[in-house]
Amino acid sequence: MVSRIEHPAGGYKKIFETCEELNEPIPAVVVGVIPEWLSGSLLRLGPGLFEVGAEPFYHLFDGQALMHKFDLKNGHVTYYRKFVKTDAYVRAMTEKRVVITEFGTAAYPDPCKNIFSRFFTYFKGIEVTDNCLVNVYPVGEDFYACTETNYITKVDPDTLETLKRVDLCDYLSVNGVTAHPHIESDGTVYNIGNCFGKNMSLAYNIVKIPPTPKDKSDPIAKSKVLVQLPSSERFKPSYIHSFGMTENYFVFVETPVKINLLKFLTAWSIWGTNYMDCFESNETMGTWFHLATKDPAEYIEHKFRTSAFNLFHHINSYEDDGFIVVDLCTWKGHEFVYNYLYLANLRENWEEVKKAAMRAPQPEVRRYVLPMDVHKEEQGKNLISLPYTTATAVMRSDGTIWLEPEVLFSGPRQAFEFPQINYSKFSGKNYSYAYGLGLNHFIPDRICKLNVKTKDTWVWQEPDSYPSEPIFVQTPDSVEEDDGVLLSIVVNPGADQRPGYLLILNARDLTEIARAEVEVIIPVTFHGMYKP
């Protein structure tokens, strides 16, 4: 899965440039034959506005949210995109400046205000961004674009119109939730976020949004906290991007990347402070694994520990014979990977991009195995008896269980990230295949498939082409796990015409089935979904 392509022309810079929204869907030129059964919409979120007037956004996660849609019907394809009309976007466009502080960009008071108005602006409290550029997911019969704060934005998946902003703090005790919920077949949504627990110390709440009620009322209004997990540090919660879920357990991995609460609470009263300034690394804690049962929802007191790593994406978790298997896309060490995702770094010439990636934490796909039947008298021996893994778990004298992983894939500066599986059939279950976006020194340049049992790999890659997270769509009535297609948005900035396209791959071997090309460049997207 290691990239064999270099990028000296720097075409990747184009996916980090501002674009305009479209007034109406535009037709795509289809090359190949799209399967008759593939009829639906690929919805994607990412940044589309990288500056406001003369003020730039500085970090990859700062640009204003742009929603994309490829519609597939009867072998034909159209492409459409619109900015999500969040408060952050509307106010920025109205005032022609950055008004709300984003992940790595600080907002400054209006320079037109007098000194007294500007002073009081500093101290009016934290104004949290609603810039929902990360993902989109269903809740009941509705669809919400999201980031990682307490705000989610209801959108129309057909027209891409922005409908309303929802503050989850009105319903739940959370400071924010991830952009990677787990969704069961009946529509139940689970998520996790940090919260204030006992004695004002920080903790983590796992929350549940039920399926659509019979009376068709809003399921968000019936949200509830299921279980609370403790934090390793009282006033410094870890950054959470995703979590794991099996049929009977929740899996939360607490990394050494911490949010300094004091910095966060004072950030908006200090000139030029943003979210990135509030992160720090605990160099001594390593990484902690937490478990909780789903029904009844209860925290499990086992103390699982391992060496330090960054974690953004869980691949899958499942139970097997008294063990919980957890597959992760990790980055070695305690330094925050997001430090390397400033736009100035990503827009550098190729040799400079490579140099920066040499200094950054290194990626690795890992499998950890957590034993559920733990006894203190078993100190010093490997508690894992599954025959198909080399992962270990050893009880220490202090009662902690030290985990060592099995490495499923490792390549220097070559990440398997933005993982996807056959979610509807194999989420939380023993599985074989993961699909991912290959990052070459942080630049996305290939689509990968990994057999997590045999470690066999497959790759799709073309020169000067920059794909997005591949979304798996299952063939109707399929039996095999990998019977389906992968959908990915690809940009080829050097193309003479139609530089952006929807790529459709056979999920079995990553051979191309078709592509639908459009006459526009499409900026980077992070996550999304397929809506039948």
Side-chain angles (χ1 to χ4, degrees):
M1 287 197 293
V2 173
S3 178
R4 304 299 180 189
I5 291 179
E6 297 280 317
H7 302 282
Y12 51 83
K13 299 176 187 180
K14 289 290 185 180
I15 66 175
F16 307 117
E17 291 183 1
T18 291
C19 70
E20 295 182 351
E21 62 182 12
L22 297 174
N23 294 324
E24 59 186 14
I26 59 175
V29 175
V30 175
V31 179
V33 179
I34 296 174
E36 292 183 4
W37 58 266
L38 192 61
S39 181
S41 301
L42 176 67
L43 303 173
R44 302 284 301 167
L45 261 297
L49 183 72
F50 291 89
E51 63 281 316
V52 182
E55 295 187 13
F57 290 108
Y58 293 106
H59 200 273
L60 178 60
F61 302 136
D62 291 348
Q64 296 301 288
L66 183 66
M67 192 167 185
H68 309 255
K69 179 169 70 111
F70 275 96
D71 266 334
L72 303 97
K73 188 175 183 180
N74 298 326
H76 299 284
V77 181
T78 59
Y79 170 67
Y80 191 37
R81 66 189 182 206
K82 289 183 73 71
F83 283 102
V84 185
K85 306 306 189 289
T86 61
D87 278 12
Y89 176 83
V90 171
R91 291 169 60 186
M93 299 307 289
T94 301
E95 300 189 31
K96 296 180 173 54
R97 64 185 185 89
V98 178
V99 178
I100 296 179
T101 291
E102 298 292 350
F103 204 75
T105 302
Y108 296 90
D110 187 348
C112 296
K113 291 181 178 180
N114 64 41
I115 187 66
F116 297 105
S117 296
R118 289 166 63 187
F119 176 82
F120 286 112
T121 297
Y122 284 137
F123 293 96
K124 69 180 181 180
I126 295 174
E127 193 165 18
V128 176
T129 183
D130 61 348
N131 181 25
C132 51
L133 76 164
V134 182
N135 204 356
V136 57
Y137 60 88
V139 177
E141 298 178 355
D142 300 318
F143 291 81
Y144 288 86
C146 63
T147 178
E148 297 179 323
T149 68
N150 50 299
Y151 294 116
I152 58 176
T153 301
K154 186 177 176 180
V155 293
D156 186 321
D158 297 319
T159 65
L160 304 190
E161 293 296 323
T162 303
L163 301 177
K164 71 172 182 178
R165 184 174 79 166
V166 174
D167 184 352
L168 292 174
C169 290
D170 292 340
Y171 307 97
L172 293 163
S173 176
V174 288
N175 300 323
V177 294
T178 79
H180 291 286
H182 279 284
I183 304 174
E184 294 189 322
S185 58
D186 67 353
T188 301
V189 177
Y190 298 95
N191 212 332
I192 188 171
N194 70 58
C195 65
F196 289 101
K198 296 178 181 179
N199 303 318
M200 288 302 291
S201 61
L202 268 292
Y204 309 96
N205 276 344
I206 292 178
V207 301
K208 175 182 178 181
I209 303 175
T212 304
K214 292 181 179 179
D215 62 4
K216 300 296 184 180
S217 59
D218 185 2
I220 293 178
K222 295 178 172 59
S223 304
K224 66 178 182 179
V225 173
L226 285 183
V227 62
Q228 189 166 103
L229 314 180
S231 173
S232 60
E233 292 189 63
R234 184 174 181 182
F235 297 119
K236 295 180 181 179
S238 291
Y239 173 69
I240 318 168
H241 192 80
S242 65
F243 68 108
M245 190 174 81
T246 72
E247 292 187 71
N248 298 293
Y249 296 92
F250 299 108
V251 182
F252 167 51
V253 180
E254 189 177 16
T255 73
V257 177
K258 295 288 185 175
I259 303 169
N260 186 315
L261 186 62
L262 182 61
K263 283 185 181 179
F264 185 81
L265 293 176
T266 59
W268 278 258
S269 61
I270 299 173
W271 183 270
T273 304
N274 57 59
Y275 290 86
M276 280 293 292
D277 295 322
C278 302
F279 288 101
E280 60 185 46
S281 294
N282 183 324
E283 299 182 12
T284 61
M285 74 166 277
T287 301
W288 297 20
F289 282 69
H290 298 270
L291 292 177
T293 53
K294 286 174 68 176
D295 188 16
E298 296 177 347
Y299 180 64
I300 296 173
E301 297 290 344
H302 295 341
K303 298 177 180 179
F304 298 105
R305 306 287 187 264
T306 191
S307 55
F309 61 77
N310 282 224
L311 171 67
F312 309 108
H313 299 118
H314 284 245
I315 302 174
N316 199 14
S317 302
Y318 64 89
E319 302 158 40
D320 189 358
D321 196 24
F323 300 93
I324 296 179
V325 179
V326 184
D327 292 348
L328 307 171
C329 296
T330 70
W331 297 76
K332 302 175 187 177
H334 54 73
E335 185 185 6
F336 198 19
V337 172
Y338 287 4
N339 292 336
Y340 295 87
L341 299 183
Y342 283 93
L343 290 167
N345 298 340
L346 298 173
R347 290 166 172 161
E348 284 277 14
N349 292 329
W350 179 236
E351 291 304 317
E352 293 302 314
V353 167
K354 290 199 294 183
K355 287 179 184 177
M358 293 280 283
R359 300 188 297 270
Q362 294 305 300
E364 199 164 72
V365 180
R366 293 178 175 177
R367 166 166 289 181
Y368 288 89
V369 180
L370 285 57
M372 299 306 299
D373 187 17
V374 175
H375 304 284
K376 286 194 174 181
E377 61 269 19
E378 297 181 307
Q379 290 180 25
K381 79 170 190 177
N382 179 22
L383 304 177
I384 307 303
S385 58
L386 293 178
Y388 55 79
T389 181
T390 58
T392 62
V394 176
M395 172 73 76
R396 292 184 161 182
S397 58
D398 61 0
T400 60
I401 302 157
W402 186 262
L403 306 175
E404 288 291 344
E406 175 185 0
V407 176
L408 301 181
F409 170 75
S410 183
R413 297 164 296 284
Q414 303 291 322
F416 177 94
E417 260 290 357
F418 296 84
Q420 292 285 312
I421 61 170
N422 183 341
Y423 189 90
S424 62
K425 282 194 171 182
F426 287 90
S427 176
K429 298 176 182 177
N430 195 332
Y431 74 117
S432 296
Y433 301 110
Y435 310 93
L437 182 63
L439 303 183
N440 181 1
H441 300 78
F442 292 119
I443 301 302
D445 71 355
R446 63 202 183 280
I447 295 170
C448 308
K449 176 182 180 179
L450 170 65
N451 184 323
V452 298
K453 288 180 164 53
T454 67
K455 302 180 186 176
D456 290 337
T457 61
W458 297 257
V459 173
W460 177 92
Q461 186 173 40
E462 289 187 358
D464 197 31
S465 296
Y466 307 100
S468 68
E469 166 194 63
I471 300 294
F472 179 86
V473 184
Q474 180 181 293
T475 303
D477 303 318
S478 63
V479 176
E480 298 298 324
E481 179 182 341
D482 59 351
D483 187 356
V485 300
L486 299 178
L487 304 181
S488 176
I489 295 176
V490 184
V491 177
N492 180 355
D496 294 334
Q497 55 183 347
R498 301 191 295 274
Y501 58 93
L502 171 65
L503 177 66
I504 304 173
L505 299 178
N506 186 327
R508 288 185 182 276
D509 57 10
L510 301 199
T511 55
E512 181 173 334
I513 295 173
R515 61 178 66 185
E517 303 171 339
V518 291
E519 292 283 3
V520 292
I521 292 273
I522 301 172
V524 62
T525 61
F526 299 137
H527 301 289
M529 61 171 289
Y530 176 75
K531 175 181 173 290

